[in-house]
């Protein structure tokens, strides 16, 4: 199994970029990025890789209709959307990226209700900090370029963060990890950058969980 990360855990922006950029470089031409589907964990690492260049080049974000915002949190690059999207039933115009995580920042002061709606597992709960998440996808894949065995993981999360009081962060973390030492991978599927059928999270659609 991959090692699921709740998005509330601080994640630096750079470590995952070489891997994601490699996927972006080998991916076949795709249509417009479905940002709502990415945040709702209905996509795979292949589709998420299309966002990787945005972290290093703000002009690419502008071309997508994202306006870069001043960085209010050292671990997140934030953007305002020219055209709002709907995430788990909520209108969203404020998003962020943090490493392999894409987030929607909602005007919801209480994240716990949303976490319950999405049937997430509480990872941390204190008066001023909450994190919950659930791994929706964990599958063995083979890197199409290197032939290396990897584990693809997709984790849905909801959280809050001190830098954004009164907000709830809903996130999806996409990762490719090496199997644990001594753990034999199962029958892997090819990690072809071409998107396979999107992972459908078995959640209702009213509200989405934040990462923070």
């Amino acid at each position: 199994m991959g090692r699921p990360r709740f998005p509330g855990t601080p994640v630096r922006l750079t470590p995952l970029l070489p891997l994601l950029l490699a996927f972006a470089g080998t991916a076949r031409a795709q249509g417009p990025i479905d940002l709502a589907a990415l945040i709702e964990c209905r996509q795979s690492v292949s589709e998420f890789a299309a966002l990787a260049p945005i972290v290093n080049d703000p002009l690419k974000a502008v071309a997508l209709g994202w306006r870069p915002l001043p960085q209010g949190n050292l671990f997140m690059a934030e953007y305002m959307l020219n055209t709002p999207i709907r995430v788990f039933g909520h209108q969203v115009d404020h998003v962020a990226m943090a490493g392999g995580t894409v987030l929607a920042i909602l005007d919801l002061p209480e994240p716990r209700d949303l976490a319950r709606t999405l049937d997430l597992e509480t990872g941390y709960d204190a008066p001023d900090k909450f994190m919950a998440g659930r791994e929706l996808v964990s599958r063995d894949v083979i890197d199409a370029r290197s032939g290396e065995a990897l584990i693809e993981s997709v984790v849905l999360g909801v959280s809050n963060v001190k830098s954004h009081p009164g907000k709830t962060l809903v996130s999806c973390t996409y990762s490719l990890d090496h199997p644990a030492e001594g753990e034999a991978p199962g029958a892997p599927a090819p990690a072809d950058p071409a998107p396979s059928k999107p992972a459908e999270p078995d959640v209702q659609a009213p509200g989405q969980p934040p990462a923070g």
Side-chain angles (χ1 to χ4, degrees):
M1 293 286 292
R3 294 187 300 273
R5 289 181 287 269
F6 290 139
T9 305
V11 181
R12 296 194 178 277
L13 295 178
T14 51
L16 288 175
L17 287 183
L19 178 59
L20 294 175
L21 286 170
F23 265 73
T26 58
R28 301 169 189 164
Q30 299 179 27
I33 293 172
D34 190 339
L35 183 58
L38 283 167
I39 297 171
E40 292 180 346
C41 288
R42 293 186 285 111
Q43 304 276 32
S44 67
V45 169
S46 309
E47 289 89 359
F48 178 79
L51 292 182
I54 293 170
V55 178
N56 279 342
D57 188 349
L59 289 179
K60 286 186 168 59
V62 172
L64 288 177
W66 302 17
R67 285 177 285 134
L69 296 174
Q71 194 167 6
N73 184 304
L74 291 177
F75 301 105
M76 299 193 306
E78 299 180 50
Y79 306 89
M80 189 66 66
L81 304 178
N82 291 337
T83 303
I85 60 174
R86 293 195 73 78
V87 173
F88 291 125
H90 294 271
Q91 181 166 297
V92 173
D93 61 6
H94 189 179
V95 299
M97 289 185 63
T101 299
V102 56
L103 310 94
I105 301 174
L106 308 182
D107 289 321
L108 294 177
E110 176 50 73
R112 292 164 184 82
D113 294 339
L114 183 54
R116 281 192 293 269
T117 298
L118 296 173
D119 193 23
L120 303 186
E121 177 184 339
T122 299
Y124 186 83
D125 193 350
D128 59 350
K129 181 64 182 174
F130 176 81
M131 291 188 296
R134 179 158 54 92
E135 187 173 42
L136 302 179
V137 174
S138 179
R139 66 183 186 117
D140 298 310
V141 298
I142 293 293
D143 188 322
R145 299 191 340 152
S146 68
E148 188 177 21
L150 299 168
I151 297 174
E152 179 177 6
S153 175
V154 179
V155 178
L156 180 64
V158 170
S159 63
N160 57 10
V161 64
K162 288 182 180 179
S163 60
H164 293 68
K167 307 287 186 181
T168 287
L169 286 70
V170 176
S171 66
C172 190
T173 299
Y174 296 86
S175 65
L176 287 174
D177 297 314
H178 293 91
E181 189 173 350
E183 178 180 304
D192 191 313
S196 55
K197 184 177 185 298
E200 294 287 345
D202 54 332
V203 295
Q204 303 296 316
Q208 175 164 357

